[in-house]
Structures are given as structure tokens and as C-alpha cells.
Amino acid sequence: MALISDLRVLVAECPFYTPVMPGSGKPMSVRMTNFGQLGWVTDKAGYRYQPCHPETGRPWPAIPAQLQELWEKLARYPHPPEACLVNHYTGKARMGLHQDKDEIDFDAPVLSVSLGDTAVFRIGGSSRKDPTRSFKLQSGDVLVMGGPARMNFHGVDRFIPATSTLLSGGGRLNLTLRRVNLPVN
DNA sequence: CAGTGACG
DNA sequence: AGCC
């Protein structure tokens, strides 16, 4: 897969870092980096989108063309993504139920690409108390959260080790393409 | 309070 | 959309 070799090169320029929770500074279990004009970051000060890597200070590299094309095909949204959050799951990494709500444009979908080990994904409704269900997300699966599902709570319970050989070190990579700001035109 | 948390 |  050509995307994987691209990703290796890009991640070398914008290394994964360990994000921490606002206020508490508690480290999250996933490691993160971003591509695109804007990247989602979290630190003691809060959640936000910013143009540069919090540790290197360099701008995030561009979103790979292959991912841009995937957005064009599947997002059904007439403007390009501005951000690609890259989450790396290793060991006991998980992601609790949350909403993606730090964007301004809620009309654009969030498009997620799973790579590497299979994830046990969980999704509920737009209210925290809505019932949830879980299903597996395999390497190569693309999930579009758009329309009424845009604000659904979702997370990753765990990943299942050794279910893919795509990533040399094992683990799971999740790429989420997002639009952040409202389009100007 | 917490919390992209634990639990579902 | 939030609301333990």
C-alpha cells in the first residue's frame, strides 16, 4: 500500500507525541500527530486546532493526496478537508466515548480510515445517555460520520492485537479527515 | 469536580 | 450538542 510508505515519511517529520488532558494534564493512551493546515491538539490549556506541531513547532505536513481523493469520493462535501488527525494505538490504548465538537463546521462529515489491527469501535447517539453499540473496524475500513451521525458519541474500546500485518510494529492507526472552519464561499 | 474517563 |  502506497499510503503506508507515505505515512512513514510524514510521521518522521511530525512525530507522534503523547497528548494530555486539559486541566489535569493526564496523558492519553493514544499517541497523536496531524496532517493538513490545521491539527487537533490537546494540552493542559484545552482542546483546539492549530497550524503547528506542539513539540517541533513546525507546520503539519500536507494531507496525502490519496486521502484527499478518498474525501472527494466519500465525504459528499464540496470543500477539502483542513485537518487529518492521526491516532496511534499501541498496547492498552483506547479512546473513551466523546463527540467531535471542536470544529466550527458541523455540516462537513468526519471521515475515518482504519489501518493495522482491528479496532472494537463503539458508537452511540448525539446524547451521552443514548444507548451504544460496538462493532469491529478492520484495516482498510472507512467510516463516514455525517448528517445526523456527525455529533454521535463514539470511541474505541480496544484493538485486537495481531489481526493485521500492515504495520510493522503492530497496533492501529486511525486517520480522521475533518473540515474545521466554515468555507469562505 | 473529574472525563477523549470507567462503563457501555 | 452540552445536561454525570
Side-chain angles (χ1 to χ4, degrees):
Chain A
M1 195 175 204
L3 180 57
I4 291 296
S5 51
D6 284 3
L7 293 179
R8 252 193 273 278
V9 174
L10 292 178
V11 165
E13 301 177 33
C14 61
F16 287 107
Y17 66 96
T18 300
V20 302
M21 295 302 298
S24 70
K26 265 181 52 181
M28 293 179 67
S29 55
V30 299
R31 312 229 314 144
M32 293 184 174
T33 190
N34 290 268
F35 308 140
Q37 301 97 308
L38 291 170
W40 187 87
V41 299
T42 172
D43 59 19
K44 293 189 87 160
Y47 304 144
R48 65 191 172 277
Y49 280 93
Q50 65 177 41
C52 296
H53 191 291
E55 290 181 355
T56 68
R58 293 193 299 265
W60 309 107
I63 299 173
Q66 210 171 142
L67 291 173
Q68 299 258 16
E69 288 160 20
L70 202 58
W71 174 274
E72 283 161 28
K73 279 197 182 66
L74 301 177
R76 298 182 188 164
Y77 190 79
H79 302 277
E82 294 169 294
C84 177
L85 173 61
V86 186
N87 287 162
H88 191 205
Y89 293 78
T90 57
K92 295 276 169 252
R94 57 184 315 288
M95 179 81 73
L97 271 193
H98 67 279
Q99 290 174 302
D100 290 354
K101 57 177 179 182
D102 298 315
E103 303 74 29
I104 303 199
D105 187 351
F106 287 158
D107 291 335
V110 172
L111 186 155
S112 140
V113 181
S114 294
L115 258 21
D117 287 335
T118 299
V120 180
F121 180 79
R122 182 172 294 275
I123 188 161
S126 59
S127 164
R128 181 133 230 167
K129 56 185 175 344
D130 288 339
T132 63
R133 61 208 167 89
S134 78
F135 53 88
K136 288 173 183 175
L137 247 28
Q138 289 187 297
S139 192
D141 284 352
V142 178
L143 176 71
V144 180
M145 291 180 55
R150 172 63 180 77
M151 302 311 287
N152 284 4
F153 277 84
H154 59 281
V156 173
D157 291 351
R158 62 193 174 87
F159 70 86
I160 309 170
T163 42
S164 165
T165 53
L166 182 66
L167 274 24
S168 39
R172 171 176 188 256
L173 231 35
N174 182 245
L175 310 175
T176 55
L177 297 172
R178 299 129 183 253
R179 162 134 296 252
V180 179
N181 296 121
L182 293 168
V184 272
N185 57 0

